[in-house]
Amino acid sequence: MKKRFKLISSFFVAIGLITGCASSSSVKETNTGKPNIIVIYLDDLGYGDVGAYGAKAIKTPNMDRLANGGVKFTNGYATSATCTPSRYGLLTGVYPWRNKDAKILPGSAPLLIDTSLVTIPRMLKNEGYNTAIVGKWHLGLGSGVSDWNSRIDIGPNELGFDYSYILAATQDRVPTVYIKDGYVENLDPNDPIQVSYEKNFEGEPTGLDNPELLKMKWHHGHNNSIVNGIPRIGFMKGGESAKWVDEDMADNFLLKAQDYIKSNKEQPFFLYYALQQPHVPRTPNPRFVGATDLGPRGDAIAEADWCIGQLLETLEAEGILENTLIVLSSDNGPVLNDGYYDDAEERNGDHTPAGVLRGGKYSLYDAGTRVPFISYWKGRIEPQTSDLLVCQVDLLNSFASIVGSDFSSQDGMDLSEVILGTATEGRKNLILEATSRTSFREGDWVLIPPYKGPEVNKQVNIEMGNLEDFGLFNLKEDPSQKVNLASSEPEKLEEMKRTFLELRGDGFQETEKLELK
Ligand code: NG6
Ligand code: CA
C-alpha cells in the first residue's frame, strides 16, 4: 500500500512539514495516483440513527449506500462524547484528554489547536493536496478576543486548509454567521458584530426575557440572544446582513462543498465536510419537514442523508467517485432533548438513536463515543462489515500512509489497511473521553473508573456512566453494558487498570486524577 503511493522522498516530507509547504515541482510529481479524500462528519448522529446500522424509522439510503458498498465498522469510535474534543482528535491525531482546554467551546474561544501542530489538511497539503473545510468548526478562532469585523487572524486556514467556509462553533451558539477564509460573509461594515458570552448588549432581546419573540422554545440553557426567532447560547449584536438562515444552512454548505469539488477535481483534494445535523437547533429545510414521523431530529437526519447523496452524485457527475476515498462518521453519540422543545423525545416512538448501546452524548457508556463509521472507495474497497477496533484519532496516520507520507501523530495508528478493508487486526486498545472523564477499551472489554456526579443527567435524560466503583464490561457479550463484571473478573480488572494507567499516565489533566492501584 505504502509503496504504491510513495512518490516523494521522506526528505521532502520532512522539509515540507517543517516549512509548511512543498516545492511546486515535487507537488506536481506527486499528483498522480493519489485519491481525493473526503471526511463526511455529522454532528450528534448516533450509532442507531443510520439504516445500515439498524434504524427503521429514519431512511438513510445514501449513508446506507456508503455502508453497504464499503466497510461498515461496528467498533468505530470518536475520541470523545462531545464535539470540540472529538474534532481535535480527528484533525490532530492527538487524544483530546491531553489538552485541558479541549472541552465544548463557546463561540468566542480562541483557536484550540496549536498552529505548529500537523493536522490532516497540513499533512495532505504537503503531499500536494488542495484542502478544504465546509461546515461546522467548533475548535475556536483567533489568537485572543476575536474581532469579527476584520480578518480573524488564526483559524482553519492557518492549520492547513486552503479554503474554509465554516460556522464558528455550533448552530446554537453565536455568532450566527458564516465565515469564509477568516472573514464574516456578507458583513456590512456599518453594522459591526459584537459578541459576548458574559453579558447582553443593552436593549437587545433575549430568550429569557422575550418569549413572545420565539419560534422555537428553549428547554434548558439557550436563552440568550434571539436570532431568527431561535434563542441561542451567547449574546450578539449587529451583523444583521451576515446572519444565516437556519433552514438554508444544509443547502448552503452542500453548495459550497459541491463548488469546491468541481473546481478542484483536476488535483487531489481533501474535503472535510462537517454537517451541522442533527445537532440542535434542528431546522430542516421545509422540503424535509415531515420526511420522518420523528419530528425535526429525524427530518434533519433525512436532510443530511440527502445532502450526502447529492455530494455523491456530484462526484459521479465529475467522474471522480472511483478516485475518492470517503470516510463518514459522527463527532459523538446521540441526544434527544439537548435544550430546545423540538419534540425529539415526544415523537421518538421506538426509534433507538444509540442502537443497542447504553448512554448517549456526554456519556462514558459506549453510546457516547461509538458511532457510525464507514469507509468507502468505489472499485477499491470490498464491501464488508468489520468489527475491528478503529478510532477517528487514527485517520491522520492512516491517510498519511495511503498518500505516501511518513508522518505519524502522537496517538494515532496507521490503520490504512483497516480503513481499506484488507486488514485482520485493528487497534488493540483505546482511551475514550466524555466530559473530562476517561475510560479504557481493550479488546472486547471496557473499563470505566469511578467518577463523582449524577448517574443520569436529568436535563438531557442520559446515563452519564458515573459509577461508584469500577465498571468492567464485555462489549462482545454484553453490548448494552448491563452486567458489571468488575467483581467477578478481578484479574481482568487489575490488568485493565494497569494498562490504562500506564497509557494514560500524567497526560490526564483534569482535576480528578484517579489513582488506579
Ligand atoms: C451544551 C449545550 C448543548 C450543546 C452542547 C455542545 C446547554 C444547556 N447545552 O453545553 O445544547 O450545544 O453544549 O454540543 O447549553 S456539541 O455537540 O457541540 O458538543
Ligand atoms: Ca456533536
Side-chain angles (χ1 to χ4, degrees), residues 41-45 81-84 86-87 136 138 170 276-277 279 330-333 335 338 361:
Y41 209 48
L42 288 104
D43 194 0
D44 296 3
L45 185 76
T82 60
C83 172
T84 300
S86 277
R87 282 159 209 259
K136 172 172 173 172
H138 209 186
T170 57
Q276 88 284 6
Q277 302 108 322
H279 194 282
S330 172
D331 67 341
N332 52 252
V335 54
D338 208 12
K361 181 174 179 177

Side-chain angles (χ1 to χ4, degrees), residues 370-425:
R370 206 199 303 189
V371 285
F373 197 124
I374 300 164
S375 61
Y376 176 93
W377 185 350
K378 192 177 177 198
R380 180 67 202 270
I381 292 182
E382 280 292 318
Q384 61 196 276
T385 298
S386 169
D387 62 1
L388 298 181
L389 187 58
V390 56
C391 177
Q392 291 160 12
V393 79
D394 302 317
L395 288 178
L396 173 44
N397 287 12
S398 304
F399 292 159
S401 166
I402 288 169
V403 307
S405 156
D406 280 342
F407 179 73
S408 184
S409 70
Q410 185 171 3
D411 295 310
M413 289 180 63
D414 171 7
L415 296 186
S416 50
E417 312 244 323
V418 173
I419 300 288
L420 298 176
T422 55
T424 49
E425 249 182 81

Side-chain angles (χ1 to χ4, degrees), residues 192-505:
I193 295 182
Q194 296 174 71
V195 168
S196 166
Y197 274 73
E198 264 108 58
K199 61 177 182 29
N200 193 16
F201 299 96
E202 221 179 302
E204 294 294 305
T206 64
L208 188 63
D209 296 331
N210 304 85
E212 74 286 357
L213 299 178
L214 303 180
K215 71 175 179 194
M216 194 188 282
K217 305 241 175 284
W218 56 277
H219 177 273
H220 55 275
H222 306 96
N223 58 20
N224 302 154
S225 284
I226 303 169
V227 181
N228 306 333
I230 302 172
R232 315 278 167 160
I233 307 173
F235 303 98
M236 171 179 176
K237 186 181 161 99
E240 214 45 56
S241 60
K243 287 178 181 169
W244 65 49
V245 175
D246 293 86
E247 291 78 3
D248 292 345
M249 185 175 283
D251 285 345
N252 189 32
F253 283 147
L254 172 63
L255 201 66
K256 298 294 185 291
Q258 289 171 315
D259 284 350
Y260 175 77
I261 290 171
K262 287 180 199 159
S263 38
N264 287 279
K265 64 180 176 194
E266 305 299 345
Q267 62 189 114
F269 65 79
F270 167 64
L271 171 63
Y272 173 34
Y273 180 35
L275 290 84
Q276 88 284 6
Q277 302 108 322
H279 194 282
V280 296
R282 295 155 184 145
T283 53
N285 185 274
R287 302 196 309 284
F288 293 92
V289 172
T292 68
D293 292 331
L294 305 185
R297 183 173 187 278
D299 295 349
I301 295 174
E303 178 187 56
D305 187 73
W306 177 84
C307 293
I308 292 163
Q310 293 299 298
L311 196 85
L312 295 178
E313 269 188 27
T314 303
L315 294 169
E316 250 167 351
E318 299 298 330
I320 53 174
L321 184 61
E322 298 189 15
N323 189 32
T324 303
L325 166 64
I326 300 173
V327 174
L328 179 146
S329 199
S330 172
D331 67 341
N332 52 252
V335 54
L336 292 176
N337 180 347
D338 208 12
Y340 293 97
Y341 285 98
D342 64 3
D343 277 354
E345 266 174 2
E346 293 78 355
R347 294 179 60 180
N348 188 54
D350 52 17
H351 174 59
T352 48
V356 296
L357 308 180
R358 186 167 180 178
K361 181 174 179 177
Y362 311 109
S363 178
L364 263 188
Y365 285 124
D366 234 36
T369 45
R370 206 199 303 189
V371 285
F373 197 124
I374 300 164
S375 61
Y376 176 93
W377 185 350
K378 192 177 177 198
R380 180 67 202 270
I381 292 182
E382 280 292 318
Q384 61 196 276
T385 298
S386 169
D387 62 1
L388 298 181
L389 187 58
V390 56
C391 177
Q392 291 160 12
V393 79
D394 302 317
L395 288 178
L396 173 44
N397 287 12
S398 304
F399 292 159
S401 166
I402 288 169
V403 307
S405 156
D406 280 342
F407 179 73
S408 184
S409 70
Q410 185 171 3
D411 295 310
M413 289 180 63
D414 171 7
L415 296 186
S416 50
E417 312 244 323
V418 173
I419 300 288
L420 298 176
T422 55
T424 49
E425 249 182 81
R427 243 182 194 276
K428 284 201 172 35
N429 53 40
L430 180 61
I431 299 180
L432 296 159
E433 183 268 347
T435 52
S436 302
R437 302 158 298 156
T438 51
S439 66
F440 182 53
R441 171 147 185 187
E442 185 160 60
D444 294 330
W445 296 84
V446 69
L447 173 79
I448 302 184
Y451 283 100
K452 295 193 186 75
E455 267 175 56
V456 175
N457 177 331
K458 295 234 169 66
Q459 287 185 322
V460 292
N461 199 15
I462 288 174
E463 288 183 294
M464 295 299 283
N466 288 320
L467 304 175
E468 279 185 12
D469 207 340
F470 283 94
L472 181 69
F473 302 91
N474 185 311
L475 291 170
K476 193 162 196 177
E477 285 161 17
D478 176 27
S480 308
Q481 295 176 289
K482 289 196 175 115
V483 191
N484 184 350
L485 299 171
S487 47
S488 57
E489 298 278 352
E491 277 170 29
K492 189 78 198 166
L493 179 68
E494 287 314 307
E495 176 200 316
M496 293 278 288
K497 283 190 201 173
R498 257 198 317 276
T499 327
F500 182 34
L501 195 56
E502 234 171 69
L503 292 175
R504 206 192 63 179

Side-chain angles (χ1 to χ4, degrees), residues 123-168:
M123 179 278 294
L124 289 173
K125 197 171 151 75
N126 186 62
E127 293 297 321
Y129 278 66
N130 194 282
T131 57
I133 169 173
V134 173
K136 172 172 173 172
W137 178 240
H138 209 186
L139 286 162
L141 289 169
S143 45
V145 180
S146 272
D147 174 5
W148 303 93
N149 305 290
S150 53
R151 189 170 188 285
I152 298 158
D153 60 348
I154 48 172
N157 297 64
E158 286 65 39
L159 291 169
F161 286 106
D162 291 308
Y163 169 69
S164 67
Y165 188 89
I166 58 168
L167 71 85

